Amino acid sequence: MNKKLLVAAIAVATAAVSSSAFAATKLGSATQKGSLLIFPRVEALNPTGNFFGATSDTLIQITNDSSKPVDLKCYWATTEGNPYNALGGNAANNPGAAAARILIRENHAQDFGFTVTKNQPVSFWAGDIGNTGFFSFLTTNVKVPQFSFFQDGTSSNAGELKCWAVNAKSNGEIHHNHLTGKATIVSFADNQNAAQGQAHEYNAMAFQAHYWGDKKKQYEPNSINYTGKALPTPFRLDLDGKEYDQCASALVGQFIPTYHPVALGVNRTQVSVANCHEDLRQDWDAHITKLTYKIWNANEVSYTGAHECMGAWYESDLGVAFPHFQYKTLKTDTAYFRATPTASKLCNQGSQKAAMETDIEVSSVVGVQVNDIGGAYQSSSNLVNLGSGTTYTTEAVGKGQILWSDIDTEFGKK
């Protein structure tokens, strides 16, 4: 190939790559900064106010690396019920599963807010035990309402946290792609999730805001030059790749099959998934989707038929819920899965033979995976986000939208 042809080929290839890169929708990521942070798993077991009665807590850390302060609006949230973990399995006529399909439409949330000054890292515990006992030396600089006790009088031991940048009046979202976050889950005593002394952490999923209003300047839509600009839809965060980065259309994780014969005790693979289509208003609407799992072992053999319905937040011990995640089925030391949100009549509250109920849809999701081998070794990681428009996403692009209200929130470090 002569020099002119080589240069032409490089130019064509470069143009193709550039065109593809700009055409692709940007996904939220655990390795970037953003204006919205989602923590898919928060745990505070037995938050009684008594250190000896409590077994775990979650330390939340958030950093603002901007030279400007910012107000954050946050929500603790959880959802009741997992249909196919109900007693009796996932049969459509199982009374336990039917009751659980109703429960996943029950959401609980607690809102709060605080200010993060310029270049400041802040931290706070989800429960009430982190600043007692062994961790009494660790000073946190933000006080927030305790996770687990929600305003509607209910309580829960696990759920999610969502935080995003808002204006000083807390009546609209702003462009502030300077936020990062991390969650550290600590076990103070043996419990159903981990042995005493275990701790693991993961990065918050960060979504960058995009600003398209200033057509006179040639900044990129997510340029820091737009920091502080109001976003166009107050009280509604669109995770569609236009206002904020797109939320994932499918999730991937790798695991050691449950009941592996050489594992110390029983190893577990637990996933916690946050729905990116969530209504956090007082008069909220439920948004139900079904996670359809496909599993591959190390010999490239695939297994299907595992699925669970979820509401705003979901958690499952996959090896307990499905034989396809167990060693007796997979017969290899490692395997991986893909979880794809779908719309299915199996999520109906009543008969699965009836028409699909109106609150069932294809949602976009983010999640984390906790791996536990006999309670002796524990780790967590972010599930890998897959975008839309690929060969494995046969469903429509999942809906990603967070709705919230303008109920006054007192901001500040208390």
Side-chain angles (χ1 to χ4, degrees):
M1 181 181 291
N2 63 40
K3 183 178 294 185
K4 289 185 178 179
L5 290 176
L6 178 61
V7 170
I10 293 174
V12 170
T14 303
V17 171
S18 299
S19 174
S20 174
F22 282 113
T25 300
K26 188 174 182 182
L27 292 171
S29 168
T31 58
Q32 67 175 10
K33 299 182 292 184
S35 297
L36 161 68
L37 301 178
I38 299 180
F39 299 81
R41 186 166 200 278
V42 173
E43 176 184 305
L45 293 175
N46 299 325
T48 61
N50 178 353
F51 173 74
F52 297 102
T55 57
S56 68
D57 207 344
T58 303
L59 179 68
I60 301 294
Q61 299 178 77
I62 295 176
T63 297
N64 170 33
D65 78 345
S66 172
S67 59
K68 300 178 181 179
V70 65
D71 289 337
L72 299 187
K73 178 75 171 184
C74 298
Y75 284 82
W76 301 121
T78 195
T79 299
E80 299 183 32
N82 283 331
Y84 303 118
N85 281 339
L87 184 63
N90 64 356
N93 60 353
N94 169 28
R101 284 193 293 271
I102 296 174
L103 285 178
I104 62 172
R105 289 161 167 85
E106 293 296 323
N107 301 326
H108 309 285
Q110 167 88 8
D111 73 305
F112 59 95
F114 54 90
T115 300
V116 188
T117 59
K118 62 180 183 179
N119 295 314
Q120 185 187 28
V122 299
S123 62
F124 51 92
W125 291 94
D128 62 350
I129 65 171
N131 285 326
T132 63
F134 178 76
F135 278 87
S136 60
F137 65 87
L138 184 62
T139 301
T140 55
N141 52 357
V142 171
K143 293 187 181 298
V144 303
Q146 182 179 320
F147 175 79
S148 301
F149 297 126
F150 298 103
Q151 293 172 333
D152 58 7
T154 60
S155 63
S156 177
N157 288 323
E160 61 163 342
L161 172 66
K162 288 183 168 81
C163 293
W164 56 88
V166 295
N167 59 31
K169 295 182 179 180
S170 187
N171 61 7
E173 312 86 47
I174 63 170
H175 187 291
H176 191 90
N177 294 337
H178 295 276
L179 302 175
T180 57
K182 178 180 290 187
T184 305
I185 301 173
V186 183
S187 296
F188 297 94
D190 292 343
N191 58 68
Q192 64 263 41
N193 289 335
Q196 180 179 2
Q198 289 287 320
H200 57 93
E201 61 185 16
Y202 66 88
N203 289 338
M205 196 64 61
F207 294 81
Q208 293 194 343
H210 302 258
Y211 185 83
W212 304 85
D214 196 345
K215 297 181 180 180
K216 295 181 180 179
K217 297 180 180 179
Q218 299 301 313
Y219 299 137
E220 288 295 320
N222 61 353
S223 168
I224 61 172
N225 292 285
Y226 294 129
T227 297
K229 291 277 191 180
L231 296 178
T233 57
F235 312 121
R236 192 184 83 199
L237 288 73
D238 291 324
L239 281 63
D240 56 2
K242 297 176 182 178
E243 183 179 26
Y244 289 86
D245 290 339
Q246 186 176 314
C247 197
S249 294
L251 302 173
V252 169
Q254 188 168 353
F255 65 101
I256 300 172
T258 301
Y259 305 121
H260 192 287
V262 299
L264 177 63
V266 177
N267 58 300
R268 302 167 61 236
T269 301
Q270 176 180 287
V271 294
S272 303
V273 179
N275 196 330
C276 287
H277 192 191
E278 185 170 10
D279 191 341
L280 294 165
R281 299 172 298 181
Q282 184 175 8
D283 296 327
W284 48 266
D285 293 319
H287 299 285
I288 308 301
T289 195
K290 187 186 77 171
L291 293 180
T292 299
Y293 291 97
K294 188 172 183 179
I295 304 98
W296 289 264
N297 69 9
N299 296 323
E300 303 175 21
V301 178
S302 63
Y303 301 83
T304 60
H307 48 254
E308 285 189 310
C309 297
M310 66 168 285
W313 182 80
Y314 154 91
E315 186 166 79
S316 182
D317 186 333
L318 297 177
V320 172
F322 307 114
H324 286 349
F325 284 85
Q326 299 176 11
Y327 182 81
K328 67 180 182 181
T329 299
L330 297 170
K331 298 291 195 303
T332 61
D333 293 341
T334 188
Y336 85 95
F337 67 87
R338 185 174 68 229
T340 305
T342 58
S344 171
K345 293 191 295 184
L346 288 176
C347 300
N348 281 357
Q349 299 176 76
S351 171
Q352 278 66 56
K353 296 181 180 179
M356 191 154 53
E357 295 174 2
T358 56
D359 60 3
I360 299 172
E361 63 184 16
V362 180
S363 295
S364 55
V365 291
V366 292
V368 295
Q369 172 181 330
V370 177
N371 302 303
D372 184 29
I373 303 179
Y377 308 99
Q378 193 171 65
S379 64
S380 62
S381 59
N382 298 85
L383 293 173
V384 176
N385 295 336
L386 300 181
S388 60
T390 49
T391 56
Y392 48 77
T393 54
T394 56
E395 297 280 342
V397 177
K399 181 83 173 199
Q401 186 180 85
I402 300 171
L403 301 174
W404 61 290
S405 66
D406 59 347
I407 297 174
D408 290 338
T409 301
E410 186 177 353
F411 285 82
K413 296 183 293 179
K414 303 174 184 177

